[in-house]
């Protein structure tokens, strides 16, 4: 089953946007996927983890 996603909007400088685009292109990734990989790698190095539990459905 596919995992649900959430939207994250952020503002960056044009230079950072271009760096992200170039880095993503070099790794044959989308910019969104590159950011996801970078965040997971950074959190792993810091020992940060998120214990995300499913919320019970409201009736």
């Amino acid at each position: 089953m596919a995992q649900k996603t959430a939207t994250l909007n952020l503002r960056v400088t044009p230079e950072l946007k271009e760096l992200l685009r170039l880095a993503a292109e070099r790794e044959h990734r989308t910019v969104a996927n590159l950011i996801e990989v970078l965040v997971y790698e950074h959190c792993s190095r810091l020992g940060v983890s998120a214990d995300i539990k499913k919320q019970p459905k409201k009736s």
Side-chain angles (χ1 to χ4, degrees), residues 20-38 40-41:
L20 286 167
R21 188 191 67 75
L22 291 169
E25 184 179 286
R26 185 170 288 187
E27 292 194 13
H28 305 286
R29 299 178 182 277
T30 64
V31 170
N33 181 254
L34 176 66
I35 292 170
E36 183 176 352
V37 167
L38 292 172
Y40 276 122
E41 288 176 354

Side-chain angles (χ1 to χ4, degrees), residues 8-57:
L8 174 66
N9 294 308
L10 64 137
R11 291 182 180 271
V12 296
T13 64
E15 294 82 10
L16 180 57
K17 183 178 179 182
E18 181 63 7
L19 285 172
L20 286 167
R21 188 191 67 75
L22 291 169
E25 184 179 286
R26 185 170 288 187
E27 292 194 13
H28 305 286
R29 299 178 182 277
T30 64
V31 170
N33 181 254
L34 176 66
I35 292 170
E36 183 176 352
V37 167
L38 292 172
V39 170
Y40 276 122
E41 288 176 354
H42 186 72
C43 288
S44 177
R45 282 195 306 273
L46 293 177
V48 175
S49 65
D51 184 22
I52 301 173
K53 297 178 182 167
K54 290 186 176 182
Q55 298 286 331
K57 291 184 178 180

